[in-house]
Amino acid sequence: MKPSEIIQRIISHDQNNAVKTAAFRPGQIVSGKIVKLFRNQTAEVQIGSHKVIAQLETPLSANSRYWFKVEPGVEMLRLKVMESANRPGAAALAESLLSQLGMQLSRENKMLIQFFLKEQLPITGETLQMSSEWIKESQSAEAGLKTVKELIIRQLPFSKDIFSALSSVLHGDSLTSLMGELQEELKGADLSSKGQQIYSLLGDLTKTSREKLGQQAIIRLFSEWLNTKNQARSNTAFQLLKVMGLMPGEADEAAALKQLTEGSIQNKPISHVLTELLKANESGNRQEFILNLAKLNGFISQRSESSGQAQTLETLFNDTRNGKIFFPAEKNLLNDLFKSALSHTLNADLGQLLSNPPGLKQAAVKAGRLLAGEKPSAAAALTLQEKTMLEELKNNLRTELNFTYDQRNIHSELKRIIRTLGLSHEHDILNLLKHHDERAAEKLDTLKPLLMGLLNEETSHSAKDAAERLLHKLTGFQALSQESGPLQHYIFQLPVSLWGKISDLTMQWSGRKTEAGKIDPSHCRVIFYLNLEHLNETIVDLQVQNRIINISVINEHKEIKDVTAPFAAALKENLLKLNYKLSSVSFQKPESAGDSPMARETITSIVQSNQFSGVDIRI
């Protein structure tokens, strides 16, 4: 099942309240039944689930149904009769209403107005005209009609942008697939600063945990290789980089350093000096060599935080100029010179340097597998020194990257992803305007505002299209997250980094508002859907009443109850620490629903079983 289908199931339970939430506005056309007649042409009219006292412009019969047009009124609802709703033939009625509204009697318009009549949606000429245009551009008429219905019953702004945003959430591709498409469009293009930021953010959001771990390991190995203070560790790190496939197996240090200098950092000033230095050494031009060595020494002495690096290069410069060092320089001496210079240059930018070289993704995945023990044959071929360094890397990275996910780490990671996507963009702008908060200004540099900026720049049509669809997706989730009386609802989709894959976490939280405007943690609910790496499609329904929690898990695996049983006691104990009592954990096997194990009936029964349909993040 697509995540978009899950979203439709989750939000479908409140669609039946369409008429209850709709306000009567001048120009609308509604179906009503005359219940009682009063003096002065007033009557009690049943419109959907509402009974209203209305001023009628024409005498009508009791117990009869009519189509009314809502007229402007001050103290009382004013209704103008348009057509008897008792007359047979929905098609004839649709044609009559279209004629009165001045719209074409096309097949599409007839279908549209019949849908409005069937769903008892308030009709106006403007909404019908706009809906007709939007549905023509939709992927299907059915999808367009459902989106229009959601717009009306949720009382969202009736605009093309909101329609497109909501349609993207209800019927479009998943968030991760849209991010992948945009990333592919931006790859290799001549990007503006906004485009580069977007590409970097997308790269971070679409990396698996294995790849993130492997890439950090490669960065550490690069730093270790460029460190000239311990030649043995430098050699070991270089060999491990070759094992991971980031460098050709037959390449020596000199060739690797030359490739690094001429490739990844070719736009840096020091790169040009190093290249010229190498050429002078190869051609035997001592004067040119000393000149470029002086330039390099100047760069390092001005920018280096470490006086040791500057002193080393200055000593080398003086010794070469005074003839104390044989010229041309020996390979080992030249390698150390290049390592020192590159180590200084890349000290703060090594992560950026390694963001795009050929084969990095494959090397990072291989490094992650080595660190996780997933490649025993490759690990067995390593030397003792290489195994020791790899184990040291694994221990350091496990601690620093928080791969032991506990409640606090998951909480902070979800908040980081929400912030990175820009789902709180409008809230951050409001804070900036109200409080002139400097931190709020920093938060504006997130994916959503960057996408808005990219759409105003000159870029390829395909890149703009991919950026616009991703922007609509983010905006659609914001539109669905709203207040409904005393309740708050939040629904979103996040790219979650699992070990070997990226999955879309679709989640809805809701509950009563506290005086502080937050969801009441004692009375709330969460429903979330996640396609896991091994358990596949999984739905978790968590309900909280008076801080008592009931959890329902829907998954097709027969063994899931036995597999999770050992964790039940720990779950109960940890919830008690948060002042929650676990009442039950039940497991259900979904009914078959086409190609997907997720059943329509099962989802519907979950979302309709309680007035609350959300969760508090603190749980």
Side-chain angles (χ1 to χ4, degrees):
M1 178 179 288
K2 290 182 179 179
S4 60
E5 293 173 343
I6 284 289
I7 293 167
Q8 291 183 53
R9 305 289 185 268
I10 288 177
I11 67 175
S12 64
H13 67 291
D14 57 1
Q15 287 184 347
N16 296 326
N17 297 324
V19 179
K20 292 182 182 179
T21 59
F24 298 112
R25 292 185 295 273
Q28 288 181 344
I29 298 172
V30 294
S31 170
K33 178 182 179 182
I34 304 296
V35 180
K36 292 180 183 178
L37 294 172
F38 303 110
R39 296 178 182 179
N40 302 322
Q41 289 189 203
T42 58
E44 182 182 325
V45 184
Q46 178 88 36
I47 302 176
S49 61
H50 285 280
K51 284 186 179 180
V52 297
I53 303 298
Q55 179 76 50
L56 306 180
E57 293 198 352
T58 356
L60 300 175
S61 302
N63 297 318
S64 297
R65 297 192 67 85
Y66 298 89
W67 288 101
F68 298 100
K69 184 176 182 180
V70 180
E71 296 288 313
V74 180
E75 297 180 355
M76 188 180 297
L77 184 66
R78 293 183 59 203
L79 300 176
K80 178 182 179 181
V81 67
M82 295 186 65
E83 189 83 37
S84 170
N86 294 322
R87 62 179 288 180
L93 176 59
E95 289 180 6
S96 175
L97 290 176
L98 285 172
S99 178
Q100 293 186 58
L101 292 170
M103 296 181 63
Q104 292 183 351
L105 301 179
S106 64
R107 183 177 64 85
E108 292 80 8
N109 284 346
K110 289 179 184 178
M111 178 186 66
L112 175 62
I113 200 166
Q114 285 173 0
F115 177 81
F116 271 66
L117 296 175
K118 177 187 174 184
E119 299 294 333
Q120 296 188 23
L121 300 176
I123 300 170
T124 69
E126 183 183 15
T127 55
L128 284 176
Q129 189 67 50
M130 294 169 73
S131 300
S132 178
E133 294 298 321
W134 298 342
I135 290 170
K136 289 177 185 176
E137 301 174 12
S138 299
Q139 60 183 23
S140 72
E142 182 184 5
L145 290 170
K146 287 181 178 178
T147 305
V148 168
K149 179 180 176 181
E150 284 295 331
L151 275 178
I152 294 173
I153 67 174
R154 294 180 182 277
Q155 299 185 40
L156 296 171
F158 210 76
S159 69
K160 176 65 184 299
D161 286 341
I162 300 298
F163 173 85
S164 299
L166 205 57
S167 179
S168 177
V169 170
L170 297 176
H171 313 289
D173 294 329
S174 70
L175 189 65
T176 54
S177 63
L178 291 175
M179 289 194 298
E181 287 179 31
L182 179 56
Q183 190 178 22
E184 193 62 32
E185 291 294 338
L186 298 178
K187 185 177 180 180
D190 184 15
L191 301 177
S192 65
S193 60
K194 282 188 175 63
Q196 291 171 359
Q197 283 180 281
I198 291 171
Y199 189 79
S200 177
L201 283 178
L202 293 176
D204 177 64
L205 290 167
T206 55
K207 281 192 183 79
T208 64
S209 294
R210 176 197 283 145
E211 190 180 344
K212 287 178 182 177
L213 179 66
Q215 187 162 328
Q216 286 299 315
I218 287 173
I219 290 174
R220 299 294 176 86
L221 288 174
F222 256 96
S223 296
E224 197 72 64
W225 170 44
L226 297 177
N227 182 11
T228 58
K229 294 180 181 178
N230 190 324
Q231 193 61 47
R233 288 183 64 85
S234 176
N235 291 337
T236 302
F238 180 67
Q239 293 304 318
L240 280 174
L241 288 171
K242 292 169 71 173
V243 167
M244 291 167 185
L246 202 60
M247 296 176 183
E250 69 281 357
D252 60 10
E253 279 197 320
L257 287 166
K258 184 177 180 181
Q259 179 184 358
L260 185 63
T261 303
E262 295 176 348
S264 300
I265 59 170
Q266 57 186 346
N267 295 323
K268 291 184 176 290
I270 291 182
S271 172
H272 176 72
V273 175
L274 288 173
T275 303
E276 293 301 314
L277 196 68
L278 185 61
K279 289 179 180 177
N281 192 66
E282 291 175 348
S283 64
N285 190 333
R286 185 172 181 273
Q287 184 177 356
E288 191 69 23
F289 183 85
I290 292 174
L291 178 62
N292 282 287
L293 196 59
K295 289 180 182 179
L296 182 62
N297 182 49
F299 277 127
I300 300 299
S301 60
Q302 289 175 13
R303 301 171 56 189
S304 179
E305 297 178 1
S306 169
S307 58
Q309 283 182 325
Q311 288 175 2
T312 300
L313 287 169
E314 187 174 359
T315 301
L316 181 61
F317 167 68
N318 290 330
D319 288 349
T320 305
R321 186 179 60 179
N322 297 330
K324 294 182 180 180
I325 294 179
F326 183 76
F327 183 83
E330 296 179 359
K331 181 183 291 187
N332 289 341
L333 181 64
L334 205 59
N335 286 351
D336 286 346
L337 171 64
F338 271 57
K339 283 183 184 180
S340 295
L342 290 173
S343 178
H344 157 72
T345 307
L346 307 177
N347 187 37
D349 302 324
L350 194 52
Q352 185 177 355
L353 163 72
L354 295 173
S355 61
N356 258 333
L360 173 67
K361 185 179 179 69
Q362 293 82 353
V365 170
K366 189 171 183 179
R369 285 177 171 162
L370 271 172
L371 289 167
E374 295 176 359
K375 295 183 72 67
S377 58
L382 299 177
T383 65
L384 178 61
Q385 292 82 359
E386 291 165 356
K387 289 178 181 177
T388 302
M389 182 171 284
L390 203 63
E391 187 66 25
E392 182 184 312
L393 262 178
K394 181 169 68 174
N395 293 333
N396 291 337
L397 290 172
R398 182 184 288 123
T399 303
E400 295 173 21
L401 299 180
N402 291 322
F403 275 92
T404 52
Y405 290 125
D406 61 16
Q407 178 210 5
R408 291 180 300 277
N409 292 335
I410 293 174
H411 178 202
S412 60
E413 179 64 9
L414 288 177
K415 287 181 69 176
R416 184 192 70 83
I417 297 172
I418 290 171
R419 184 172 58 252
T420 302
L421 291 175
L423 294 177
S424 60
H425 172 60
E426 288 74 13
H427 175 73
D428 293 335
I429 288 181
L430 190 60
N431 279 345
L432 180 62
L433 294 175
K434 281 184 176 180
H435 310 296
H436 302 286
D437 185 0
E438 293 182 3
R439 289 188 176 181
E442 295 174 3
K443 293 178 183 177
L444 300 181
D445 214 15
T446 55
L447 185 59
K448 181 177 178 179
L450 287 171
L451 289 172
M452 294 164 66
L454 183 67
L455 292 176
N456 292 323
E457 297 180 350
E458 290 294 329
T459 186
S460 68
H461 175 74
S462 55
K464 274 196 173 182
D465 179 64
E468 188 174 41
R469 286 187 289 120
L470 180 54
L471 179 60
H472 283 324
K473 192 78 170 182
L474 297 175
T475 305
F477 282 112
Q478 290 178 297
L480 283 174
S481 300
Q482 57 184 226
E483 294 184 6
S484 177
L487 300 179
Q488 283 185 323
H489 302 275
Y490 299 99
I491 182 167
F492 53 73
Q493 196 172 89
L494 302 179
V496 177
S497 175
L498 304 179
W499 176 245
K501 67 180 288 188
I502 297 292
S503 184
D504 291 287
L505 168 64
T506 305
M507 198 170 192
Q508 184 187 27
W509 310 339
S510 67
R512 293 191 179 277
K513 288 188 295 183
T514 63
E515 292 182 358
K518 298 180 179 180
I519 289 178
D520 184 355
S522 300
H523 300 274
C524 54
R525 186 175 180 183
V526 61
I527 300 172
F528 76 82
Y529 162 84
L530 185 63
N531 191 355
L532 295 167
E533 197 166 357
H534 300 291
L535 291 176
N536 301 324
E537 291 181 315
T538 303
I539 296 175
V540 177
D541 173 35
L542 184 149
Q543 298 185 59
V544 184
Q545 291 291 332
N546 294 320
R547 303 191 78 84
I548 298 174
I549 297 179
N550 292 283
I551 300 175
S552 298
V553 180
I554 302 175
N555 186 272
E556 63 181 346
H557 286 271
K558 297 179 181 178
E559 305 84 4
I560 187 169
K561 185 174 182 179
D562 296 332
V563 170
T564 57
F567 303 101
L571 174 62
K572 191 170 186 177
E573 181 182 347
N574 285 311
L575 284 172
L576 276 175
K577 293 177 182 178
L578 299 172
N579 194 25
Y580 287 95
K581 181 180 179 181
L582 180 63
S583 175
S584 66
V585 180
S586 60
F587 296 88
Q588 302 176 41
K589 186 177 180 182
E591 300 292 335
S592 176
D595 296 330
S596 168
M598 297 292 110
R600 179 191 301 257
E601 294 78 9
T602 307
I603 295 294
T604 305
S605 65
I606 285 179
V607 298
Q608 290 182 344
S609 63
N610 194 287
Q611 61 177 327
F612 296 102
S613 51
V615 73
D616 188 280
I617 187 70
R618 285 173 284 183
I619 296 171

